[in-house]
Amino acid sequence: MDLFAPQPCDNLLPFDGIVNNLGIVLGDDEALYEQLLSELPWQSDRVTLFGKTHITTRQIVWMGDSETDGSLAYSYSGHSRAITPWHHSVFHVKRLVEHKLAEIGVEVCFNTCLLNYYPTGADGMGYHADDEPELGHQPIIASLSLGATRKFVLKHKKAQHKVELYLETGQLIVMRGDTQQYWKHTVTKTKSVQQGRISLTFRTLYP
């Protein structure tokens, strides 16, 4: 046992935000991965940068509370995503994640989840912050990983600081406080990973 291993309440950031690593929180993660991969309505993402729209091999599902008025539609990178009602397994994971956060004193009730599917290590996500106005001030964003282990990097927007994590299947992290204001994060690409990964990023969206 590593007596100096980070504890769930430890802040992984040196300043300007809070990131907690809650460790492995799921047991039967392989079955959940296969279920979500086969049952969810995955679609390629569209990202517009510098006026040019790109269609990604990374696929997404925007999921959450059913709203007939469309108030939980989510916009980023120049495009709006319509919401899909909760899949029962994702809703079960949501409740588990909320319980795990409550254990470290973070009380939250998420109403949405952005799921990303990375088919191989060649698929990644560039540096960005989840700082859209719909997420409110100091958003709490919990991310659960399934499938292949991938490198996750946080980089301060002004200072020369980086924090690197290798997220394993079943692992849960939470970003909160001023993290989105001062830090960007990325899932780096790699040629050494051929397996897929699904991330479930739970958040609270304000209409």
Side-chain angles (χ1 to χ4, degrees):
M1 179 182 295
D2 186 351
L3 297 179
F4 301 99
Q7 299 300 306
C9 289
D10 292 346
N11 185 8
L12 302 184
L13 298 182
F15 46 77
D16 291 343
I18 303 171
V19 174
N20 304 109
N21 176 12
L22 285 78
I24 308 298
V25 299
L26 277 181
D28 197 9
D29 49 88
E30 184 175 349
L32 178 61
Y33 174 89
E34 295 296 338
Q35 181 187 32
L36 299 185
L37 187 59
S38 63
E39 295 183 8
L40 297 191
W42 298 100
Q43 293 183 333
S44 295
D45 198 8
R46 292 187 298 159
V47 178
T48 298
L49 297 172
F50 306 109
K52 186 175 181 180
T53 299
H54 305 269
I55 306 300
T56 68
T57 51
R58 174 179 51 83
Q59 299 179 51
I60 66 165
V61 177
W62 178 242
M63 186 175 293
D65 294 348
S66 297
E67 294 287 342
T68 57
D69 61 359
S71 61
L72 291 185
Y74 186 43
S75 298
Y76 66 90
S77 300
H79 299 278
S80 180
R81 280 78 179 173
I83 202 158
T84 297
W86 289 110
H87 182 281
H88 63 91
S89 292
V90 177
F91 188 81
H92 174 76
V93 173
K94 179 186 94 79
R95 299 297 298 271
L96 170 66
V97 168
E98 291 167 347
H99 176 74
K100 292 296 182 181
L101 294 185
E103 290 181 347
I104 63 169
V106 180
E107 299 291 341
V108 62
C109 182
F110 297 113
N111 62 2
T112 55
C113 179
L114 179 63
L115 297 97
N116 286 279
Y117 169 53
Y118 305 83
T120 70
D123 306 286
M125 176 81 79
Y127 275 109
H128 67 284
D130 296 320
D131 55 2
E132 292 78 17
E134 302 97 314
L135 297 175
H137 179 61
Q138 295 188 328
I140 298 171
I141 299 177
S143 179
L144 178 74
S145 297
L146 298 173
T149 298
R150 295 291 297 271
K151 186 177 180 181
F152 180 84
V153 183
L154 296 118
K155 179 175 70 173
H156 197 276
K157 294 181 180 180
K158 295 182 179 180
Q160 299 298 313
H161 282 78
K162 286 186 178 181
V163 175
E164 299 181 353
L165 299 170
Y166 283 89
L167 300 180
E168 302 177 49
T169 187
Q171 186 172 352
L172 174 65
I173 64 169
V174 58
M175 299 179 285
R176 55 193 180 98
D178 290 330
T179 301
Q180 304 306 321
Q181 180 179 351
Y182 292 102
W183 295 79
K184 293 185 176 182
H185 54 277
T186 181
V187 176
T188 63
K189 296 181 180 181
T190 175
K191 295 180 180 180
S192 62
V193 176
Q194 299 302 318
Q195 297 77 27
R197 171 182 181 258
I198 294 175
S199 67
L200 298 84
T201 54
F202 296 95
R203 56 195 75 195
T204 301
L205 199 69
Y206 298 94

